[in-house]
Each structure stands twice: as C-alpha cells, then as structure tokens.
Amino acid sequence: MLLLGLITALYNGLNGIGSYLWGFVLDNMKLRKELSIGLSIMGIASGITYSVNGLIGYSIIGFISSLDAPLYSLILLETLTEEELVKGNSILSEISLAGNIAGSILASVFPNPLMVTGLFLLSLISNLTFVPKYDGKTNANRKEMFNDIKNLYYPVISYFAFNLSAELFFTVYVPLNYSMGNPEYVVFLSYTILYIVDEFMYSKVVNFVKGKEVRYIYFSIFGRALISLSLALLVETQLKIGLGIMGFFMAYGPIFPLYSTAFFSVVVKGLKRNRATILGLLNAAEDVASIIGGLVLGLAETLSGAYMMSFYALAVAMFSFSAYLSSKGLQSKPASPQKKKEYTQASS
C-alpha cells in the first residue's frame, strides 16, 4: 500500500507539473503536429523504460502524458469555430473515455508492460495520419497570463475542490463496497457501467447545457454534495444495503460530463490568449486534488468522516464559483437584460 501510494503520488505530481509546463510551451510555440508526434515518440521511450523499471517508467509517463490534454484541446481551439468548439471538446472527451475503457480491458486480459509501448506506437501512426499539419498561434502574453491567472483564482479553487471531493468519494467507494458485504467484482462492474454511461452523457450534454451553463454547474455541485452527505448518514446508521450502494455510485459519477462541459464553457471560452497555459493550470489543479485527496483520507478515521470531507470540499467549490460569478457581475437573480447580455458575451 505504501509503494502504491508513492507511485501514485509521483505520477500525479509529475502529471500536474507537466500540465502547466506543457501548456506554457504550447502558448509559446506554433508547432502542433510536430508536438503530437513528439508526444508519441516520448511515450514509446517511456514505455520501454516502464518495462525495465516500473517506478521510473510510470512516473515519466505521468509527465509526458500531461501534454495530450492541452495539446489536443488547443488544436480544437485553433481549428474549430466557436459554434463547433464545445461539441468538438465533448467528442474529444468521448474518445479519451473510450481509451480508458479499452485500456482497462486490455490490462485485465494482457497485463504486459510492453503493451504500453505498443499503444504509444499506435498513437504515433494516428498522429502522423490524422493530426492536421498547420502553424498554430503563439498565444503567450506574460502580462495577460498573470492577469488571467489572477482573474481565474476562484474558478481554479472551485475546480480543485470539486475534483478533491471526487477523489475522496471514489477512493472510499472500495472499502464502502466491502463494508456493505459486496464481492470485489462489484467495484469493477461499477466503473465499467460508469464509463459506458459517461460515454453516452458526453454525446448528449453539449446541447443540454447550452445557454444554461451556470445553472448546471450549481446543479452538479449541489447534486454531488447531497449524495456525499447521504452516504455519510447511511454509514452512520450502519444500514447494509448491499448492491444498492451502486445506485449512489451511478448517481454521483455521471455528473462530471455535465459539470466539465458547463464549467469549461463558462471559464475557458472567453480567454483570448494563454489558453493552453490556463488549460494546463486547470489540469494541474485536478492532479494536485488527486494527490491531496489520498493524503487527506488519512485524517478521516471513519468512512462517514471521509464522505463528510467530500461534502465540505463541494461546499468550497460552490462558494468559490459563486465568488467568481459575483466578481464578473453574473450573479444577480433575476438577471436584467444587461446582465444577460454580459453573460452571453462572457460565455462566447
């Protein structure tokens, strides 16, 4: 368990550092296809290292793989119109999720480190074939970057807290499943169903949240908070509901596609420069949340305490996002025509 925690911390730590550094590199370079090819080549090298030394290889993969999210997101930003962007980002999430599903299946039937090298080799062929050759835009502006980071202080905290809550929830789901008397396979079954439902959600959520992004961000945070609080109370009552625990899991998990689509529509689309840097910063916040989530669990002496910590993290997410909207003048209810116009401009 100690070794697993060390490896996970190293992976998430280097992934978080890489998310920000790669975003900064992307904003200062025009190369796009070349970087995608470089990503695959570095992946092949890290895969070979992984087959020799798992700890070093896995850690390096954490740093290298953090390039993919800002890189492919930036390619979408530069090649799609504003109308196509949200849908394109949702499709990218679907493809990424499909990769997670395929990876989980392959790891279960063929747990060989050489598989990592082979998959990165396939990614090299895909990048050579499908990524368009073009010169991107240098979006870096140091003065604006610091202003953007300062202006996004509250959204970054909100996003961090939301993901911290998720890390706590999903980690504790394993011992909770055992405490309910369920066999181990229920955990794997739960995640398999979740991946499938998430895939469906990403295909539908774009049109669903359009024009109602703020409402669904609040709904997502409040919904997960209610589920976390309910589980804390359930554990305290010591009521054994067996497979019924999957219902809480399936209510909690599929909220993320709704939240992420709405969140990025509000926060990221209004940026004119430093987009990759900000995307990297948000990805880094998610990685830091994963690291801290594992450490914070040690402070929770009971399962109910862990779910209460998840609830408190969501409360922070709620208030931080509310503070961001207030700073932008988007919080008044009911909104005046002028405020609606400002919100429309901010979203687009």
Side-chain angles (χ1 to χ4, degrees), residues 223-297:
R224 282 195 164 186
L226 184 61
I227 295 169
S228 296
L229 184 59
S230 299
L231 279 173
L233 295 174
L234 176 67
V235 173
E236 279 296 309
T237 62
Q238 298 184 353
L239 180 65
K240 305 296 183 181
I241 61 173
L243 294 177
I245 203 67
M246 290 179 64
F248 288 91
F249 183 88
M250 294 312 306
Y252 187 95
I255 288 176
F256 187 75
L258 187 71
Y259 168 82
S260 63
T261 302
F263 183 87
F264 281 96
S265 295
V266 173
V267 175
V268 177
K269 284 183 64 178
L271 297 174
K272 294 181 175 61
R273 295 178 181 271
N274 306 301
R275 286 174 161 180
T277 301
I278 298 303
L279 285 170
L281 181 62
L282 290 169
N283 287 328
E286 183 177 356
D287 291 319
V288 173
S290 298
I291 297 172
I292 295 180
L295 298 175
V296 166
L297 279 177

Side-chain angles (χ1 to χ4, degrees), residues 124-304:
L124 175 61
I125 298 172
S126 298
N127 285 328
L128 286 168
T129 306
F130 299 113
V131 175
K133 170 68 175 175
Y134 72 98
D135 287 331
K137 299 177 182 179
T138 53
N139 294 304
N141 184 295
R142 187 175 296 273
K143 182 178 179 180
E144 286 189 21
M145 180 182 72
F146 288 116
N147 287 333
D148 288 337
I149 293 175
K150 181 180 179 181
N151 292 333
L152 293 176
Y153 172 77
Y154 285 119
V156 170
I157 291 179
S158 181
Y159 190 70
F160 162 80
F162 188 90
N163 283 283
L164 175 60
S165 172
E167 180 69 19
L168 294 170
F169 181 95
F170 288 120
T171 302
V172 177
Y173 180 70
V174 177
L176 176 67
N177 181 73
Y178 296 149
S179 72
M180 291 294 166
N182 296 327
E184 183 179 9
Y185 75 83
V186 173
V187 175
F188 298 100
L189 178 62
S190 298
Y191 276 98
T192 301
I193 296 174
L194 175 60
Y195 288 150
I196 295 172
V197 174
D198 277 356
E199 193 76 39
F200 173 79
M201 287 287 292
Y202 275 118
S203 67
K204 301 294 183 182
V205 75
V206 175
N207 294 327
F208 191 66
V209 304
K210 189 175 182 180
K212 298 171 285 188
E213 288 87 352
V214 172
R215 179 188 306 173
Y216 282 109
I217 291 172
Y218 278 128
F219 169 81
S220 300
I221 298 174
F222 180 79
R224 282 195 164 186
L226 184 61
I227 295 169
S228 296
L229 184 59
S230 299
L231 279 173
L233 295 174
L234 176 67
V235 173
E236 279 296 309
T237 62
Q238 298 184 353
L239 180 65
K240 305 296 183 181
I241 61 173
L243 294 177
I245 203 67
M246 290 179 64
F248 288 91
F249 183 88
M250 294 312 306
Y252 187 95
I255 288 176
F256 187 75
L258 187 71
Y259 168 82
S260 63
T261 302
F263 183 87
F264 281 96
S265 295
V266 173
V267 175
V268 177
K269 284 183 64 178
L271 297 174
K272 294 181 175 61
R273 295 178 181 271
N274 306 301
R275 286 174 161 180
T277 301
I278 298 303
L279 285 170
L281 181 62
L282 290 169
N283 287 328
E286 183 177 356
D287 291 319
V288 173
S290 298
I291 297 172
I292 295 180
L295 298 175
V296 166
L297 279 177
L299 302 176
E301 297 181 356
T302 62
L303 290 176
S304 61

